[in-house]
Amino acid sequence: MKNKGLYALAFGTFGLGIAEFSMMSILPDVADDFGVSIAETGHLISAYAIGVCVGAPLTVFITRGWKLRSVPIFLMAVQMAGNLLMAVSPQYHVALVARFISGLPHGAFFGAGSIIANSLAEKGKSTSAVAIMIMGMTIANLAGVPMGSMIGHLLSWRLIFAFAAVCGCATICALRSWVPELPALPKGSMSGQFRFLRRREPWLLIIATMLGNGGVFCWYSYVNPIMTDVAGLDVGTMPFIMLLAGGSMCMGNYLGGRLSDRYTPEKVAMCTQGLMFIVLSAIFLTAQYALCSIVFMCFCTACLFAVSSPQQLLLLRHSAGGEMMGGAMVQLAFNLGNALGAFWGGLPIESGLGVRYAPAIGAVMAATGAVVLYVYNRSVRTSATQI
């Protein structure tokens, strides 16, 4: 029963991953269909990210006092509505609204899902349980997005979002069947949901998450031109390379959960972020060598998800009284880091230095994030000593 419940949550994150990441690979097809530019079509990605940021506090307000299992079921219903609207959108502006609606349940699902996963976990296996939930997102990157890209090019991009809606429906059925009824969280005031942000530890985790993910996305946003223009790989090899990246994300997510349960989430998060700095620096220094670029890409994408479940669980632990908001904060920081990483990674390109300098900016961000996590660990140890 307990493992099945975790798999139900993983199927939900799989559908969310399809909806979020597929858009990057089908921008030209969507642009042609709506008769708008690639740049305008890129706003559909931003609309989803805005929905993520709005959806978390909105869900907390709407679902206060609900039984825990009802929250992700409600969120998957919203996901279905947004993706179905996207699949049948007659024009660009309707698609913008659809993408905003699709993004609303994203962060909140991770927030509610983290609480449920923690409740279902065996003793000492909390991080592994959260990692199982997040595994759906990594599998979406491994198999769902490449397959969706192929279907989008050969048939219609609209089928991708129809499939994401079907995933939402299947998740609702799985949640109802496999997740037991869990009591509602205490119904406090809306302001009480944010009270945990008065302490510095949650802020340190949020900043570290933003910097770590931003550092990776400084490079990952431009991985295609780095691999083809700098490393000299053929464009036709990119689907295989992206498959390797997705597989590395799955492995990193698995190891992050297991190592956190064996050691501590604090140590794993800090060491993984330090490894991000080393790998991004290596990518910058060896970008012209194809084999090095591929090997270091696998390490970097593994780090991206190895740090995810530890940070998700740590923020949940520091958000007493606002657990759902705390669990969602990691996804808000993740999306903000993605946006900032793509922007900052583009600065050296726009200045004429070239695309290979993007991972150098990312290395600085990752190193700063590792320092922030070191400060966080010191703060936690000091607080524990004083108690």
Side-chain angles (χ1 to χ4, degrees):
M1 172 66 77
K2 290 186 176 182
N3 283 339
K4 283 186 176 181
L6 297 176
Y7 296 145
L9 295 171
F11 204 68
T13 63
F14 174 78
L16 292 171
I18 294 289
E20 180 180 21
F21 291 107
S22 291
M23 180 57 69
M24 286 76 161
S25 64
I26 58 171
L27 281 180
D29 302 292
V30 179
D32 290 341
D33 197 348
F34 287 138
V36 297
S37 68
I38 291 288
E40 284 182 286
T41 310
H43 296 326
L44 295 173
I45 299 173
S46 301
Y48 188 96
I50 294 170
V52 174
C53 296
V54 172
L58 186 62
T59 300
V60 170
F61 177 75
I62 293 174
T63 63
R64 282 184 301 164
W66 289 22
K67 290 185 177 180
L68 271 176
R69 190 180 68 173
S70 301
V71 178
I73 289 174
F74 164 72
L75 293 170
M76 282 294 102
V78 176
Q79 185 259 27
M80 285 178 58
N83 283 301
L84 283 175
L85 181 59
M86 185 65 188
V88 300
S89 293
Q91 57 169 299
Y92 171 72
H93 290 97
V94 176
L96 276 176
V97 174
R99 288 293 288 172
F100 174 78
I101 295 172
S102 300
L104 288 173
H106 186 112
F109 186 90
F110 276 87
S114 296
I115 300 170
I116 294 173
N118 191 45
S119 300
L120 298 180
E122 298 175 13
K123 186 176 181 180
K125 302 289 185 181
S126 293
T127 316
S128 292
V130 174
I132 291 174
M133 177 189 73
I134 296 173
M135 184 64 77
M137 184 73 73
T138 64
I139 293 174
N141 279 279
L142 172 65
V145 172
M147 187 178 297
S149 177
M150 182 177 66
I151 292 172
H153 291 313
L154 296 178
L155 299 174
S156 171
W157 61 266
R158 296 176 184 273
L159 293 176
I160 299 171
F161 298 100
F163 175 69
V166 171
C167 288
C169 181
T171 301
I172 290 174
C173 295
L175 289 168
R176 290 178 62 88
S177 301
W178 296 342
V179 175
E181 282 285 3
L182 297 169
L185 295 174
K187 186 177 180 180
S189 65
M190 190 64 185
S191 61
Q193 289 288 327
F194 296 88
R195 192 170 293 125
F196 69 95
L197 293 174
R198 295 177 181 176
R199 301 189 304 275
R200 70 171 180 166
E201 287 84 3
W203 282 109
L204 290 171
L205 288 168
I206 291 167
I207 292 169
T209 301
M210 183 189 71
L211 289 170
N213 285 281
V216 172
F217 271 84
C218 272
W219 153 77
Y220 198 58
S221 299
Y222 307 98
V223 65
N224 196 312
I226 289 174
M227 289 291 187
T228 55
D229 298 344
V230 181
L233 291 164
D234 187 82
V235 175
T237 64
M238 286 309 296
F240 173 70
I241 290 171
M242 290 296 98
L243 195 64
L244 283 177
S248 300
M249 291 176 186
C250 291
M251 182 58 67
N253 180 62
Y254 171 78
L255 290 175
R258 292 298 297 271
L259 291 173
S260 294
D261 286 335
R262 181 171 182 178
Y263 300 101
T264 65
E266 294 89 342
K267 291 179 180 177
V268 171
M270 182 179 67
C271 292
T272 302
Q273 206 121 308
L275 183 58
M276 281 183 189
F277 159 69
I278 295 172
V279 175
L280 285 166
S281 299
I283 291 173
F284 167 64
L285 294 172
T286 65
Q288 69 271 32
Y289 303 110
L291 181 60
C292 291
S293 290
I294 293 172
V295 170
F296 289 132
M297 176 202 69
C298 291
F299 276 105
C300 200
T301 51
C303 286
L304 178 65
F305 275 88
V307 80
S308 185
S309 56
Q311 289 175 334
Q312 190 87 40
L313 186 64
L314 287 172
L315 199 44
L316 187 64
R317 288 178 179 175
H318 285 286
S319 55
E323 289 87 353
M324 196 177 302
M325 195 65 213
M329 277 290 182
V330 172
Q331 293 303 308
L332 270 65
F334 183 93
N335 278 270
L336 182 57
N338 293 355
L340 291 176
F343 174 74
W344 285 335
L347 293 179
I349 301 171
E350 292 178 359
S351 67
L353 288 174
V355 71
R356 69 168 297 170
Y357 280 82
I361 303 295
V364 175
M365 292 181 69
T368 308
V371 172
V372 172
L373 283 172
Y374 174 77
V375 173
Y376 162 79
N377 286 342
R378 288 287 299 270
S379 177
V380 169
R381 284 198 298 267
T382 301
S383 299
T385 303
Q386 292 174 348
I387 293 175

